[in-house]
Amino acid sequence: MRSLRARVAVAAVAATAVAFVLLGVAVVGTFAFDERRDRQHWELGRPHDPAPERFVGDGRGGPPPQARLLARRLTVGSLAVLALVGAAGLGLGSLALRPLGALRHAAEQVASSRDLGTRLPEGQGPEEVDSLANSLNAMLSRLQRSSALTEQALEASRRFAADAGHELRTPLTSIQANLAVLARSPDLSGEQQRILADVVRQHARIVALLDALQALARGDAAAAVPREWLDLAEVVDAAVQHARTRHPRATVGFSGPDEVAMVGWPEGLRVLVDNLIENALRHGRPDGSVDVSLSVSDGRIRLTVDDDGPGIPPVDRQRVFERFARGSSVRAPGSGLGLALVAQQAAVHGGTAAIEDAPSGGARVTVDLAATAPAAARMRAEPGPP
């Protein structure tokens, strides 16, 4: 029994029942004792006359009829009183717990609005309820200060990532141009060309890492990014076409409905799909095949990417979604941020990401996203977020 009101009522009924039982035993016992005493006095005074009916027992040494009648009446009366006590206990329990109900309602409003600046009402109930409200308000105050400090730290980190990315973009672009000029020089020896090719690869890796860090920073600020109606099938198709251009020797297939409408951040969803496909191409079989599928079921969107590589061991399947984490058996180059971006953007869009075995023997990464919109007509009628 989890209801405090019901517990109060049951406790009241139980206490009353015990009291009535003790009272009934005492009254019936006293009445029976008086009956026996009166019968003995009568027998001593008139030994040859039959005893009055009220002095005749049940023939088995039991209580006289008057005692049994009294016991029955006490039982019926006690049950009626217990029912009244139970009803009164429920009513009085509701009245006594009304301040707690108001406190619970206020706490639910804080939880639904996520406004840590809201305070619960104090001074409107019994001392115990006011003490509880005071403790909860003190906790909300601490949480508000902690949340403000955390938000300030996150904002500083996002600002640093954005500023650093902006400042690094110009020198990296200049380096890329200079490397392109050097690569066209006919005076380079074979060793110099090898070194230059390695520098070009490292430069590309730095640029990719910078792009990933900036994408993570934007994803951390997901509450401020614009949301709109979009066609996820179109986003996935564009990402597949881009992957085919980047990896012409690989096979990248796509299957799914022609249109999947949803509310989301277009840039973030494109980052999610690009990194899913790039991860499959990079860690799958060289020049292998990647199958991308999109489906809708029960108002949920599922994006699935299968590769035909060695797969990901179960022990690594959760860890590879962490930032800068790489699988224990991974040998391909990478920053360890690809699947972290996938997990981040899945969470931004109310979804989750998971890894399992693909039918081809490689890895299958599935991303489940939030509910879809009913039709593209709604997208055209409502271009902005709802």
Side-chain angles (χ1 to χ4, degrees), residues 227-249:
R227 309 295 178 94
E228 62 186 59
W229 290 105
L230 56 88
D231 183 2
L232 183 60
E234 183 178 337
V235 174
V236 176
D237 184 66
V240 168
Q241 296 300 329
H242 179 69
R244 288 170 179 169
T245 302
R246 285 174 50 85
H247 303 272
R249 300 178 62 181

mmCIF file of all heavy atoms in Angstrom, residues 227-249:
data_model
loop_
_atom_site.group_PDB
_atom_site.id
_atom_site.type_symbol
_atom_site.label_atom_id
_atom_site.label_comp_id
_atom_site.label_asym_id
_atom_site.label_seq_id
_atom_site.Cartn_x
_atom_site.Cartn_y
_atom_site.Cartn_z
ATOM 1 N N ARG A 227 15.956 24.972 -35.848
ATOM 2 C CA ARG A 227 15.257 23.741 -36.227
ATOM 3 C C ARG A 227 14.233 24.077 -37.298
ATOM 4 O O ARG A 227 13.645 25.159 -37.286
ATOM 5 C CB ARG A 227 14.551 23.114 -35.019
ATOM 6 C CG ARG A 227 15.427 22.932 -33.789
ATOM 7 C CD ARG A 227 16.533 21.950 -34.015
ATOM 8 N NE ARG A 227 17.387 21.830 -32.847
ATOM 9 C CZ ARG A 227 17.243 20.912 -31.896
ATOM 10 N NH1 ARG A 227 16.255 20.037 -31.977
ATOM 11 N NH2 ARG A 227 18.067 20.868 -30.874
ATOM 12 N N GLU A 228 14.002 23.136 -38.188
ATOM 13 C CA GLU A 228 13.033 23.368 -39.261
ATOM 14 C C GLU A 228 12.537 22.032 -39.781
ATOM 15 O O GLU A 228 13.120 20.969 -39.525
ATOM 16 C CB GLU A 228 13.671 24.171 -40.393
ATOM 17 C CG GLU A 228 14.845 23.464 -41.056
ATOM 18 C CD GLU A 228 15.540 24.343 -42.078
ATOM 19 O OE1 GLU A 228 16.023 25.425 -41.692
ATOM 20 O OE2 GLU A 228 15.607 23.934 -43.259
ATOM 21 N N TRP A 229 11.427 22.089 -40.536
ATOM 22 C CA TRP A 229 10.949 20.879 -41.215
ATOM 23 C C TRP A 229 11.910 20.553 -42.349
ATOM 24 O O TRP A 229 12.348 21.435 -43.083
ATOM 25 C CB TRP A 229 9.550 21.106 -41.770
ATOM 26 C CG TRP A 229 8.491 21.210 -40.730
ATOM 27 C CD1 TRP A 229 7.869 22.340 -40.303
ATOM 28 C CD2 TRP A 229 7.932 20.129 -39.990
ATOM 29 N NE1 TRP A 229 6.954 22.041 -39.327
ATOM 30 C CE2 TRP A 229 6.966 20.693 -39.111
ATOM 31 C CE3 TRP A 229 8.146 18.766 -39.957
ATOM 32 C CZ2 TRP A 229 6.224 19.923 -38.227
ATOM 33 C CZ3 TRP A 229 7.396 18.001 -39.081
ATOM 34 C CH2 TRP A 229 6.458 18.569 -38.234
ATOM 35 N N LEU A 230 12.246 19.283 -42.457
ATOM 36 C CA LEU A 230 13.162 18.851 -43.510
ATOM 37 C C LEU A 230 12.823 17.434 -43.941
ATOM 38 O O LEU A 230 12.086 16.717 -43.255
ATOM 39 C CB LEU A 230 14.615 18.942 -43.034
ATOM 40 C CG LEU A 230 14.990 18.178 -41.753
ATOM 41 C CD1 LEU A 230 15.408 16.744 -42.051
ATOM 42 C CD2 LEU A 230 16.116 18.891 -41.017
ATOM 43 N N ASP A 231 13.401 17.044 -45.062
ATOM 44 C CA ASP A 231 13.230 15.690 -45.596
ATOM 45 C C ASP A 231 14.519 14.922 -45.314
ATOM 46 O O ASP A 231 15.550 15.158 -45.959
ATOM 47 C CB ASP A 231 12.936 15.741 -47.091
ATOM 48 C CG ASP A 231 12.688 14.356 -47.674
ATOM 49 O OD1 ASP A 231 12.704 13.380 -46.905
ATOM 50 O OD2 ASP A 231 12.486 14.262 -48.896
ATOM 51 N N LEU A 232 14.483 14.019 -44.339
ATOM 52 C CA LEU A 232 15.683 13.281 -43.968
ATOM 53 C C LEU A 232 16.161 12.386 -45.102
ATOM 54 O O LEU A 232 17.368 12.174 -45.272
ATOM 55 C CB LEU A 232 15.433 12.455 -42.706
ATOM 56 C CG LEU A 232 16.643 11.688 -42.162
ATOM 57 C CD1 LEU A 232 17.774 12.642 -41.802
ATOM 58 C CD2 LEU A 232 16.249 10.844 -40.947
ATOM 59 N N ALA A 233 15.224 11.852 -45.907
ATOM 60 C CA ALA A 233 15.632 11.011 -47.037
ATOM 61 C C ALA A 233 16.491 11.806 -48.012
ATOM 62 O O ALA A 233 17.463 11.279 -48.574
ATOM 63 C CB ALA A 233 14.389 10.455 -47.749
ATOM 64 N N GLU A 234 16.168 13.070 -48.199
ATOM 65 C CA GLU A 234 16.970 13.921 -49.078
ATOM 66 C C GLU A 234 18.362 14.166 -48.497
ATOM 67 O O GLU A 234 19.372 14.162 -49.219
ATOM 68 C CB GLU A 234 16.251 15.245 -49.302
ATOM 69 C CG GLU A 234 16.948 16.188 -50.257
ATOM 70 C CD GLU A 234 16.157 17.465 -50.482
ATOM 71 O OE1 GLU A 234 14.927 17.435 -50.273
ATOM 72 O OE2 GLU A 234 16.765 18.469 -50.856
ATOM 73 N N VAL A 235 18.429 14.374 -47.177
ATOM 74 C CA VAL A 235 19.720 14.569 -46.512
ATOM 75 C C VAL A 235 20.591 13.324 -46.661
ATOM 76 O O VAL A 235 21.782 13.409 -46.988
ATOM 77 C CB VAL A 235 19.507 14.905 -45.024
ATOM 78 C CG1 VAL A 235 20.833 14.967 -44.279
ATOM 79 C CG2 VAL A 235 18.759 16.220 -44.876
ATOM 80 N N VAL A 236 20.009 12.151 -46.444
ATOM 81 C CA VAL A 236 20.772 10.904 -46.558
ATOM 82 C C VAL A 236 21.213 10.670 -47.993
ATOM 83 O O VAL A 236 22.356 10.265 -48.251
ATOM 84 C CB VAL A 236 19.931 9.722 -46.031
ATOM 85 C CG1 VAL A 236 20.676 8.407 -46.237
ATOM 86 C CG2 VAL A 236 19.590 9.924 -44.568
ATOM 87 N N ASP A 237 20.338 10.922 -48.938
ATOM 88 C CA ASP A 237 20.695 10.731 -50.347
ATOM 89 C C ASP A 237 21.859 11.639 -50.744
ATOM 90 O O ASP A 237 22.779 11.206 -51.456
ATOM 91 C CB ASP A 237 19.480 11.002 -51.230
ATOM 92 C CG ASP A 237 19.764 10.714 -52.698
ATOM 93 O OD1 ASP A 237 19.991 9.542 -53.048
ATOM 94 O OD2 ASP A 237 19.778 11.676 -53.501
ATOM 95 N N ALA A 238 21.841 12.890 -50.294
ATOM 96 C CA ALA A 238 22.949 13.802 -50.608
ATOM 97 C C ALA A 238 24.254 13.305 -49.990
ATOM 98 O O ALA A 238 25.325 13.390 -50.607
ATOM 99 C CB ALA A 238 22.615 15.206 -50.114
ATOM 100 N N ALA A 239 24.199 12.790 -48.767
ATOM 101 C CA ALA A 239 25.396 12.274 -48.118
ATOM 102 C C ALA A 239 25.925 11.038 -48.851
ATOM 103 O O ALA A 239 27.142 10.853 -48.990
ATOM 104 C CB ALA A 239 25.093 11.940 -46.661
ATOM 105 N N VAL A 240 25.031 10.189 -49.321
ATOM 106 C CA VAL A 240 25.449 9.001 -50.078
ATOM 107 C C VAL A 240 26.132 9.410 -51.376
ATOM 108 O O VAL A 240 27.182 8.863 -51.757
ATOM 109 C CB VAL A 240 24.239 8.082 -50.345
ATOM 110 C CG1 VAL A 240 24.593 7.005 -51.363
ATOM 111 C CG2 VAL A 240 23.758 7.447 -49.042
ATOM 112 N N GLN A 241 25.561 10.372 -52.085
ATOM 113 C CA GLN A 241 26.179 10.841 -53.333
ATOM 114 C C GLN A 241 27.559 11.430 -53.064
ATOM 115 O O GLN A 241 28.505 11.207 -53.839
ATOM 116 C CB GLN A 241 25.273 11.889 -53.994
ATOM 117 C CG GLN A 241 23.914 11.372 -54.432
ATOM 118 C CD GLN A 241 24.019 10.241 -55.454
ATOM 119 O OE1 GLN A 241 24.954 10.181 -56.261
ATOM 120 N NE2 GLN A 241 23.050 9.323 -55.403
ATOM 121 N N HIS A 242 27.694 12.169 -51.990
ATOM 122 C CA HIS A 242 28.999 12.746 -51.640
ATOM 123 C C HIS A 242 30.004 11.642 -51.336
ATOM 124 O O HIS A 242 31.185 11.726 -51.743
ATOM 125 C CB HIS A 242 28.837 13.668 -50.429
ATOM 126 C CG HIS A 242 30.109 14.295 -49.965
ATOM 127 N ND1 HIS A 242 30.778 15.251 -50.692
ATOM 128 C CD2 HIS A 242 30.853 14.093 -48.826
ATOM 129 C CE1 HIS A 242 31.872 15.621 -50.051
ATOM 130 N NE2 HIS A 242 31.938 14.936 -48.913
ATOM 131 N N ALA A 243 29.586 10.598 -50.631
ATOM 132 C CA ALA A 243 30.491 9.487 -50.321
ATOM 133 C C ALA A 243 30.914 8.751 -51.585
ATOM 134 O O ALA A 243 32.079 8.319 -51.703
ATOM 135 C CB ALA A 243 29.805 8.532 -49.342
ATOM 136 N N ARG A 244 30.012 8.585 -52.530
ATOM 137 C CA ARG A 244 30.383 7.920 -53.788
ATOM 138 C C ARG A 244 31.421 8.721 -54.547
ATOM 139 O O ARG A 244 32.308 8.154 -55.200
ATOM 140 C CB ARG A 244 29.126 7.737 -54.635
ATOM 141 C CG ARG A 244 28.170 6.676 -54.103
ATOM 142 C CD ARG A 244 26.842 6.711 -54.836
ATOM 143 N NE ARG A 244 25.925 5.681 -54.341
ATOM 144 C CZ ARG A 244 24.631 5.627 -54.660
ATOM 145 N NH1 ARG A 244 24.095 6.573 -55.449
ATOM 146 N NH2 ARG A 244 23.868 4.669 -54.165
ATOM 147 N N THR A 245 31.332 10.053 -54.451
ATOM 148 C CA THR A 245 32.331 10.897 -55.125
ATOM 149 C C THR A 245 33.683 10.786 -54.440
ATOM 150 O O THR A 245 34.731 10.725 -55.109
ATOM 151 C CB THR A 245 31.856 12.365 -55.122
ATOM 152 O OG1 THR A 245 30.588 12.441 -55.764
ATOM 153 C CG2 THR A 245 32.844 13.262 -55.847
ATOM 154 N N ARG A 246 33.693 10.759 -53.117
ATOM 155 C CA ARG A 246 34.949 10.679 -52.362
ATOM 156 C C ARG A 246 35.579 9.301 -52.443
ATOM 157 O O ARG A 246 36.808 9.172 -52.363
ATOM 158 C CB ARG A 246 34.691 11.038 -50.895
ATOM 159 C CG ARG A 246 34.487 12.518 -50.647
ATOM 160 C CD ARG A 246 34.084 12.774 -49.199
ATOM 161 N NE ARG A 246 34.967 12.114 -48.256
ATOM 162 C CZ ARG A 246 36.125 12.619 -47.822
ATOM 163 N NH1 ARG A 246 36.538 13.788 -48.292
ATOM 164 N NH2 ARG A 246 36.862 11.958 -46.947
ATOM 165 N N HIS A 247 34.760 8.269 -52.580
ATOM 166 C CA HIS A 247 35.274 6.889 -52.618
ATOM 167 C C HIS A 247 34.715 6.194 -53.862
ATOM 168 O O HIS A 247 33.823 5.337 -53.762
ATOM 169 C CB HIS A 247 34.867 6.136 -51.353
ATOM 170 C CG HIS A 247 35.324 6.781 -50.075
ATOM 171 N ND1 HIS A 247 36.548 6.519 -49.499
ATOM 172 C CD2 HIS A 247 34.713 7.702 -49.265
ATOM 173 C CE1 HIS A 247 36.667 7.215 -48.378
ATOM 174 N NE2 HIS A 247 35.569 7.945 -48.220
ATOM 175 N N PRO A 248 35.241 6.524 -55.055
ATOM 176 C CA PRO A 248 34.659 5.992 -56.295
ATOM 177 C C PRO A 248 34.818 4.480 -56.447
ATOM 178 O O PRO A 248 34.048 3.847 -57.175
ATOM 179 C CB PRO A 248 35.417 6.752 -57.388
ATOM 180 C CG PRO A 248 36.689 7.188 -56.735
ATOM 181 C CD PRO A 248 36.365 7.448 -55.319
ATOM 182 N N ARG A 249 35.772 3.896 -55.768
ATOM 183 C CA ARG A 249 36.003 2.456 -55.921
ATOM 184 C C ARG A 249 35.159 1.627 -54.955
ATOM 185 O O ARG A 249 35.104 0.406 -55.071
ATOM 186 C CB ARG A 249 37.488 2.154 -55.714
ATOM 187 C CG ARG A 249 38.383 2.878 -56.724
ATOM 188 C CD ARG A 249 39.846 2.606 -56.478
ATOM 189 N NE ARG A 249 40.167 1.196 -56.630
ATOM 190 C CZ ARG A 249 41.387 0.691 -56.440
ATOM 191 N NH1 ARG A 249 42.382 1.490 -56.077
ATOM 192 N NH2 ARG A 249 41.610 -0.595 -56.604
#
